[in-house]
Amino acid sequence: MKQGTQKLDSSAKNNGGTGASRDRYPDALRAGALLVVVFGHWIATLPRLENGLMTTTDHLLLVWTGAGVLTWVLQVVPLFVFVSAAVSADGAQRRLEQGHRQLHWWAGRALGLARPTVTYLAVLVAFVILATYTGGRLLGPLNHSLTVHLWFLMMLLGIQALLPLSVWADNRWGLKAVAGLLLIAAAVDLLRGGITAPGELLELGTRVTGSDGGIGWLNAIVVWLLPQQLGIAWKRGRFSGLGCGLALLLLGLLWLAAAVASGYPVAMVDGAFGVPSNLLPPTLALVGVMWVQVGFVLT
């Protein structure tokens, strides 16, 4: 009986605690972020009707330019990565201390995400079959709107595979690890934009998003590692409180204003492929969204 209780306690610890011992605030944040990711993509898809039939779709960002500001709130990927890292940090630290491989934990995460994803795709397959036999025209006009948001899962799994490295970096450098990632992200955008003189910084966003991705694709790792590193630091109490939250909110809004003024797109998601983008690859402008969302969590 005692051995069984020890196993149960160990299982509870490995899963982040249960019952009253588990902090439900991060769970609520992640659940809310997931809902925003899914429904945000659907709401942004605008059907175009002709004679009562849907013939194609538009994107909200292409129809209403002011909607770009809404993405400062609706682009919740930084929030999800931040909170997921905070929830997983203690478990990753235990595995490091005990010499356990992280692969088993990561595979469990992948399987947990795969189950609902496969269910969702199975429903889409059923629609495809139904449309094939009935002559339905639903799937064609919706195009990639049904699956475009699944990129988020691949990115999340990729970043979480580096969670042990992020925990090790926090152990060694604390918040300096965050500063180091910021410097790398900034250097990537400066190189991508071909900045050679201080005066050219006023056009940084225009030059960055007007160029090919090139070296900018390094920020597909660095920019998403930033909220993960911050989430670990938050979990360990390296920053907290209302004052810090309000300061980060202000920093984020000023950061975004400066980014837009230098030519980065207002929108933090893409309304169409092949246009200037903060997402493909990620830019410094997305870091401003991260500050806003982390500040919101603390506040």
Side-chain angles (χ1 to χ4, degrees):
M1 184 70 174
K2 182 177 180 181
Q3 184 180 7
T5 303
Q6 289 174 341
K7 288 182 179 180
L8 181 61
D9 291 342
S10 176
S11 175
K13 289 179 180 179
N14 289 334
N15 288 283
T18 58
S21 65
R22 185 178 180 92
D23 185 356
R24 298 299 180 183
Y25 181 48
D27 291 339
L29 290 170
R30 285 194 293 180
L34 277 177
L35 290 174
V36 170
V37 168
V38 175
F39 287 106
H41 280 91
W42 279 82
I43 292 170
T45 302
L46 307 178
R48 183 182 294 277
L49 303 178
E50 293 182 9
N51 298 321
L53 296 175
M54 183 168 63
T55 58
T56 186
T57 58
D58 290 320
H59 195 283
L60 181 62
L61 291 174
L62 301 180
V63 176
W64 178 32
T65 56
V69 177
L70 299 179
T71 65
W72 295 6
V73 176
L74 298 179
Q75 172 53 282
V76 292
V77 175
L79 171 64
F80 196 91
V81 174
F82 171 78
V83 176
S84 294
V87 171
S88 305
D90 287 346
Q93 180 64 45
R94 283 195 299 271
R95 289 187 292 274
L96 285 174
E97 292 173 350
Q98 297 168 3
H100 293 167
R101 297 178 62 189
Q102 306 280 343
L103 181 60
H104 180 72
W105 171 83
W106 184 86
R109 297 285 288 174
L111 183 61
L113 291 172
R115 290 191 183 105
T117 304
V118 170
T119 302
Y120 176 70
L121 292 176
V123 172
L124 293 187
V125 170
F127 271 117
V128 170
I129 296 173
L130 181 64
T132 300
Y133 284 97
T134 62
R137 304 176 64 248
L138 177 66
L139 295 176
L142 284 176
N143 197 0
H144 68 282
S145 301
L146 292 164
T147 55
V148 65
H149 47 282
L150 296 181
W151 74 270
F152 159 71
L153 301 179
M154 301 304 296
M155 182 282 296
L156 180 65
L157 284 175
I159 292 301
Q160 288 195 332
L162 299 175
L163 184 64
L165 179 62
S166 296
V167 170
W168 174 84
D170 184 84
N171 291 339
R172 186 174 179 88
W173 294 300
L175 285 175
K176 292 180 182 178
V178 176
L181 288 171
L182 274 174
L183 289 175
I184 295 172
V188 168
D189 265 21
L190 290 173
L191 290 172
R192 181 183 171 192
I195 302 299
T196 58
E200 295 174 348
L201 290 173
L202 297 176
E203 301 177 348
L204 177 62
T206 301
R207 296 171 68 117
V208 166
T209 56
S211 67
D212 294 332
I215 192 174
W217 286 106
L218 286 176
N219 273 346
I221 298 175
V222 177
V223 166
W224 297 126
L225 277 176
L226 265 168
Q228 177 161 280
Q229 200 69 51
L230 267 179
I232 296 168
W234 174 52
K235 174 66 174 179
R236 294 178 168 181
R238 300 195 188 279
F239 61 95
S240 62
L242 176 62
C244 183
L246 292 175
L248 288 176
L249 273 172
L250 179 60
L251 170 63
L253 292 174
L254 292 175
W255 188 291
L256 287 167
V260 171
S262 76
Y264 286 104
V266 175
M268 297 298 149
V269 300
D270 295 340
F273 295 111
V275 300
S277 168
N278 283 314
L279 195 58
L280 296 171
T283 68
L284 278 177
L286 270 172
V287 178
V289 173
M290 178 191 72
W291 295 132
V292 168
Q293 293 177 355
V294 173
F296 167 79
V297 170
L298 297 181
T299 303

